[in-house]
Amino acid sequence: DTAVSQTPKYLVTQMGNDKSIKCEQNLGHDTMYWYKQDSKKFLKIMFSYNNKELIINETVPNRFSPKSPDKAHLNLHINSLELGDSAVYFCASSQDLPRQVRGYTFGSGTRLTVV
Amino acid sequence: AQSVTQPDIHITVSEGASLELRCNYSYGATPYLFWYVQSPGQGLQLLLKYFSGDTLVQGIKGFEAEFKRSQSSFNLRKPSVHWSDAAEYFCAVAPNTNAGKSTFGDGTTLTVKP
């Protein structure tokens, strides 16, 4: 039943490791996003994909690489993890048509802790 | 580029009291505007949205918001707050050319006193 699901919910890892976070949506939306929420709860967009095509790529270290195998999935791979990558990462999806703006549906987040 | 400001970092209200959370935006035209709520340990949930038409919009959980073009504001209101409303509230703005590219405010933490 979950509309936007992320796995894992919690991720604790050592500096220098490589990790992935997976996201899947069953809403039939065309667009998916990754947002980062820091310890002060500030939300910043990282990436956006529309029908598997990258459309937003904000200033994010190239250690972060999104992958969208199909429009229902958007995964986030992070290489060489650093302490500053510790945050909550949210996946979201949307289906906005002309004159039908619906906003985002968010996943419940992945809390990444780098030690 | 658009931007959004939530002037109040933290607001405390008593249960049953009315609530108003402020949101100001900067954008050259009428943007798309949203309010989201984030309960502890949860993702964000859309409360309401505005993109055209009636400037007073109704949302879920008894919330409403009013778009005021002259003040570049989109304040969130609720006439009577419940303890379960304690959460983080985010205002977001997106350009009217790309509803998908939302910029979020820094959030307002709402505490509800018994």
Side-chain angles (χ1 to χ4, degrees):
Chain A
D1 286 319
T2 305
V4 179
S5 59
Q6 297 179 227
T7 54
K9 190 170 176 64
Y10 299 96
L11 185 53
V12 181
T13 188
Q14 291 186 325
M15 278 194 304
N17 284 349
D18 304 337
K19 290 293 179 186
S20 292
I21 306 172
K22 295 185 176 181
C23 180
E24 176 182 3
Q25 55 98 1
N26 62 6
L27 298 165
H29 290 172
D30 284 340
T31 308
M32 296 184 71
Y33 311 82
W34 278 110
Y35 273 83
K36 180 181 180 180
Q37 186 175 48
D38 64 20
S39 57
K40 294 185 178 180
K41 298 194 176 178
F42 299 154
L43 273 163
K44 298 293 182 199
I45 190 167
M46 301 174 70
F47 303 103
S48 173
Y49 270 75
N50 180 273
N51 274 321
K52 303 192 297 176
E53 181 183 346
L54 181 65
I55 57 172
I56 294 175
N57 185 356
E58 294 296 300
T59 306
V60 176
N62 58 14
R63 298 182 294 104
F64 290 79
S65 54
K67 292 277 193 308
S68 182
D70 56 60
K71 76 173 193 176
H73 295 84
L74 180 61
N75 304 323
L76 183 66
H77 188 76
I78 316 170
N79 289 327
S80 304
L81 277 155
E82 301 177 356
L83 292 176
D85 297 331
S86 296
V88 181
Y89 293 84
F90 285 103
C91 178
S93 70
S94 70
Q95 180 74 31
D96 295 315
L97 302 172
R99 307 185 67 76
Q100 290 186 46
V101 175
R102 298 176 184 169
Y104 294 171
T105 301
F106 279 86
S108 57
T110 295
R111 182 173 294 276
L112 172 64
T113 303
V114 183
V115 297
Chain B
Q2 72 274 17
S3 66
V4 59
T5 302
Q6 293 180 245
D8 304 305
I9 296 173
H10 196 164
I11 283 187
T12 299
V13 299
S14 297
E15 191 168 14
S18 63
L19 170 70
E20 182 169 32
L21 302 182
R22 296 184 291 164
C23 173
N24 295 100
Y25 69 88
S26 175
Y27 183 64
T30 299
Y32 298 125
L33 293 159
F34 309 87
W35 275 101
Y36 291 84
V37 61
Q38 183 181 24
S39 297
Q42 301 295 315
L44 283 74
Q45 181 183 22
L46 180 67
L47 284 175
L48 46 76
K49 60 187 180 290
Y50 172 81
F51 64 98
S52 68
D54 193 346
T55 56
L56 183 64
V57 293
Q58 303 296 320
I60 62 172
K61 302 178 187 253
F63 286 92
E64 67 178 25
E66 186 171 13
F67 170 62
K68 292 186 177 180
R69 186 192 312 273
S70 61
Q71 297 177 20
S72 297
S73 69
F74 188 57
N75 294 348
L76 182 72
R77 301 194 294 246
K78 186 169 185 177
S80 177
V81 169
H82 187 262
W83 64 267
S84 61
D85 293 324
E88 191 80 18
Y89 291 81
F90 292 92
C91 181
V93 60
N96 57 18
T97 53
N98 184 355
K101 190 172 182 181
S102 286
T103 298
F104 285 79
D106 292 341
T108 298
T109 302
L110 174 65
T111 298
V112 180
K113 294 190 304 184

